[in-house]
Amino acid sequence: MTTATVALARAADTARLAPSVHNTQPWRWVVRGARLELYAVTGRQLREQDPAGRLMLLSCGAALHHARVALDAEGWTHRVERPAAEPLAVIHAEAAGSVDPHAMHRLQLLLIRRTDRRVVSDEPVAPDVREALVDAARLGGARLQVLSRDQVLELAVMIEHAGDAQRHDVRMIAETATWVGGDRPAGTGLPDAVIPAELPLTTVAERDFGVSGTLEAGAGHDNAAAYAVLYGDGDEPADWLRAGEALSEIWLAAIHRGAAVLPLSSPVELDFTRQALRRILGEVGYPYLVLRLGTSDPDHAGPAHTPRLPGEQVIEIVD
């Protein structure tokens, strides 16, 4: 294999660590010489909660960003082609250069990233950190609006309605059950170790997965948490792919500054709550996700990493 092929294969391997809705990991990579092609795997799409495949595409966008960060860390210049049809994206490795310590640091941040559903600390997110996250969203190709207190209360009511609707949807309950709970030996889904033993006390309710995990939710109420909406100008597949890249960029900026990010997808899974969320934005864009922002507790390690599919199931190297 050429050096470019090896670098792209390693980048695809790093992309296995990307966040995805319910840890479905709905992506597949094909390495062809100096090309790395990204495909969506519809067999791991949530048909009930994500019938249009938007969250699947957002998840793939996060994986795309991870692969690019990995290439940067190895000193590879590259460009991304975004075809109108499949593959979703093609990364072209162009030239190997010197390793940038800043790029290496970004890769290290990706390696420690995890989704933490516990309550955050009592320390609010500092204004300069919020601004850095807004800038990171813009760098990733989307926008981030931090909500006011009144908007957060409106969001809380909206998510409560969404939760009520989903708790009475038999098909959604069954779908969630296939991806959540247990040890998840197959390498996908959410094991007990990352699910709170009881729902945390939060202003905006977290998703009720219908199972009790083993993660201690933490004491107190996350009054210091802030909430933001990740959004953009478009609602096409390419926009949702960009949203995933922006989410990954935001997460990097957050980890670097000691902040915690928890994506909340339930508001965009139902049409009536998604429209309500768009009204909160003043109908200036299309919402992709709600993010809970908080300050990480430095005295407590985060939950375990979620399992991952083995590389041979998601990466194909074509000679």
Side-chain angles (χ1 to χ4, degrees):
M1 291 188 290
T2 67
T3 54
T5 300
V6 172
L8 290 172
R10 282 199 292 258
D13 189 62
T14 298
R16 293 189 305 116
L17 303 177
S20 57
V21 57
H22 287 15
N23 193 32
T24 50
Q25 302 164 58
W27 49 69
R28 180 173 67 89
W29 297 95
V30 177
V31 185
R32 301 181 194 273
R35 291 167 48 101
L36 178 58
E37 301 170 358
L38 171 62
Y39 296 85
V41 178
T42 57
R44 292 197 289 274
Q45 176 184 346
L46 300 177
R47 296 292 178 176
E48 300 300 326
Q49 295 167 55
D50 184 33
R54 298 184 182 109
L55 295 173
M56 176 185 67
L57 292 169
L58 187 147
S59 301
C60 288
L64 175 61
H65 183 269
H66 275 50
R68 299 187 67 187
V69 170
L71 286 173
D72 288 339
E74 291 201 21
W76 278 88
T77 59
H78 61 275
R79 62 182 176 87
V80 179
E81 176 189 357
R82 301 168 188 271
E86 285 206 328
L88 298 176
V90 180
I91 301 176
H92 299 267
E94 296 184 329
S98 58
V99 175
D100 179 0
H102 174 67
M104 284 293 298
H105 177 63
R106 283 168 56 83
L107 177 60
Q108 291 303 315
L109 294 176
L110 281 189
L111 298 180
I112 64 173
R113 185 216 63 81
R114 66 194 74 195
T115 302
D116 192 343
R117 295 176 175 83
R118 300 173 301 165
V119 295
V120 294
S121 75
D122 293 331
E123 181 182 350
V125 179
D128 63 318
V129 175
R130 293 189 188 194
E131 188 60 36
L133 301 186
V134 170
D135 291 342
R138 191 177 300 111
L139 179 63
R143 285 179 281 172
L144 187 70
Q145 178 174 317
V146 180
L147 301 180
S148 68
R149 180 63 180 174
D150 287 345
Q151 289 172 326
V152 169
L153 295 177
E154 188 177 348
L155 172 67
V157 173
M158 181 192 314
I159 287 187
E160 183 178 350
H161 290 327
D164 286 342
Q166 292 180 328
R167 279 190 294 271
H168 291 87
D169 189 315
V170 175
R171 291 178 300 182
M172 281 196 180
I173 293 171
E175 181 178 68
T176 298
T178 64
W179 291 99
V180 174
D183 294 330
R184 313 306 304 177
T188 58
L190 303 175
D192 289 341
V194 303
I195 300 171
E198 55 187 8
L199 285 177
L201 296 176
T202 57
T203 303
V204 177
E206 291 187 19
R207 184 190 292 275
D208 184 354
F209 290 109
V211 299
S212 294
T214 58
L215 178 67
E216 292 296 329
H221 190 293
D222 69 343
N223 291 316
Y227 291 85
V229 179
L230 179 66
Y231 71 103
D233 294 331
D235 196 29
E236 298 302 317
D239 301 305
W240 283 86
L241 194 71
R242 285 280 192 186
E245 294 174 82
L247 172 64
S248 185
E249 188 67 41
I250 291 167
W251 224 317
L252 276 185
I255 299 171
H256 178 62
R257 293 165 176 82
V261 174
L262 177 64
L264 304 174
S265 62
S266 60
V268 301
E269 293 171 6
L270 300 174
D271 287 340
F272 77 93
T273 52
R274 189 163 179 249
Q275 290 304 317
L277 194 58
R278 191 168 183 225
R279 286 194 292 273
I280 288 180
L281 294 171
E283 300 192 3
V284 297
Y286 295 90
Y288 305 131
L289 276 180
V290 171
L291 305 181
R292 186 195 71 180
L293 310 175
T295 300
S296 301
D297 188 340
D299 297 328
H300 294 86
H305 289 285
T306 49
R308 288 296 183 269
L309 289 168
E312 59 267 21
Q313 289 193 31
V314 294
I315 306 168
E316 178 186 0
I317 301 176
V318 179
D319 295 332

